[in-house]
Amino acid sequence: MSDAVKIVVDDKLVLGEPFTKAASEFKARSPGKSALVLGSTGEVGREVVKHLMASDAFDKVTVLARRPIEYTGPNAEKLKQKPADFENTEQLERDFAGHTHAFSCLGTTRAKNGKDAFYKVDHDYALNAAKAAKTAGVEHYSNCSSNGADKNSMFLYMKTKGEVDSEIQDMGFPRVSIFHPSMLLCDRKEARLIERAASYVMPLLDYVMPGKMSIPTSTVAWAMVNNTFKKVDTPVAELLTNKQMLDEFKKSQ
């Protein structure tokens, strides 16, 4: 599979004792849970898959993606793969059926694919998936959005992210969690010029404004999965900021 995306769980993955304890407690009180990951071949999505598989908290982890995945790591027998068709809502409902948790990491950029393609993926596909998940009975929907997301923004990217956040929160999931990371730090193979330049500036800005400017993709994934393990007794819609994700990760180490 030459076009396959490789996902490897190795000693570099940092979970922390509180994470592994929370995963074990979650599995004990909520056996038989299953997770589905959207955007699993992207930078954040790959990390979410790693953390889900390493946690051993779910009986099944399904990835919905257009490219195949080559996974190396623990609990490989629990990983299932399905081809993604975000325009076929009936098929999406069948894909989500039987899953209790969903992690959406869908996203592209206007610079990479143009305005129309960006909106189709980040808005239309994202909402098609969320609606299908709700119809299929998903209990907890976690969505990776962006810092500054605002449906009233004059900027297309922030406006689109904000519109999706708002609609997902209004769908009536028993639990919905929205994550607002700032600039994502990762070893992106196709890093754009502005990203490469920013990677040199971010350490200084993070020093001046800690927790505000950037976050590793692995930390976003850690926060998304760790948050799932928290016991919630009543329906809740929550938003986690860049600083909250960083602070919680640091406290766990």
Side-chain angles (χ1 to χ4, degrees):
M1 292 190 292
S2 59
D3 64 335
V5 175
K6 294 184 179 181
I7 298 180
V8 179
V9 175
D10 53 26
D11 293 340
K12 295 179 181 178
L13 188 67
V14 180
L15 299 178
E17 192 275 334
F19 178 98
T20 55
K21 180 180 179 182
S24 178
E25 292 174 348
F26 170 84
K27 186 175 182 179
R29 71 171 181 270
S30 306
K33 299 299 183 181
S34 54
L36 187 146
V37 184
L38 306 165
S40 54
T41 59
E43 301 297 343
V44 174
R46 292 202 299 268
E47 294 295 333
V48 168
V49 173
K50 289 181 185 180
H51 284 76
L52 287 171
M53 299 302 291
S55 75
D56 193 29
F58 294 88
D59 284 3
K60 177 175 67 174
V61 175
T62 301
V63 295
L64 204 61
R66 292 180 173 178
R67 296 171 61 190
I69 285 175
E70 286 184 7
Y71 173 75
T72 303
N75 307 305
E77 73 283 357
K78 295 184 177 183
L79 183 66
K80 312 300 179 184
Q81 301 189 46
K82 292 184 177 183
D85 183 353
F86 294 105
E87 296 185 5
N88 188 337
T89 55
E90 292 183 356
Q91 181 59 50
L92 280 173
E93 290 174 13
R94 290 192 289 270
D95 291 335
F96 275 106
H99 294 86
T100 56
H101 293 69
F103 297 82
S104 178
C105 305
L106 286 174
T108 184
T109 66
R110 179 176 177 176
K112 181 180 178 181
N113 293 300
K115 176 181 177 180
D116 293 341
F118 161 75
Y119 193 81
K120 190 170 190 177
V121 172
D122 283 58
H123 182 274
D124 298 347
Y125 287 1
L127 288 180
N128 283 352
K131 291 172 183 176
K134 180 62 173 64
T135 300
V138 167
E139 302 169 5
H140 185 189
Y141 199 88
S142 297
N143 182 55
C144 184
S145 179
S146 174
N147 184 40
D150 181 355
K151 64 181 180 180
N152 298 314
S153 175
M154 62 182 291
F155 300 104
L156 176 65
Y157 184 85
M158 298 306 180
K159 181 179 178 63
T160 301
K161 293 294 187 181
E163 289 174 347
V164 171
D165 287 354
S166 180
E167 290 200 44
I168 290 177
Q169 291 180 63
D170 290 340
M171 286 183 186
F173 285 100
R175 185 182 178 193
V176 59
S177 304
I178 308 292
F179 297 81
H180 277 190
S182 295
M183 182 175 178
L184 298 171
L185 301 178
C186 58
D187 295 325
R188 193 197 299 268
K189 292 182 179 180
E190 52 184 31
R192 295 174 288 276
L193 177 61
I194 190 172
E195 291 176 332
R196 291 196 295 269
S199 67
Y200 295 102
V201 178
M202 281 303 161
L204 176 59
L205 294 178
D206 282 331
Y207 178 78
V208 177
M209 294 178 285
K212 299 286 188 180
M213 302 304 296
S214 65
I215 187 170
T217 52
S218 58
T219 303
V220 177
W222 181 96
M224 293 179 73
V225 176
N226 184 67
N227 182 65
T228 300
F229 302 146
K230 296 179 180 179
K231 187 176 181 181
V232 175
D233 296 321
T234 57
V236 62
E238 58 188 340
L239 189 155
L240 287 87
T241 67
N242 196 77
K243 189 175 188 304
Q244 286 174 316
M245 289 185 276
L246 283 169
D247 287 348
E248 189 154 359
F249 177 75
K250 290 175 181 177
K251 286 191 298 184
S252 74
Q253 303 307 305

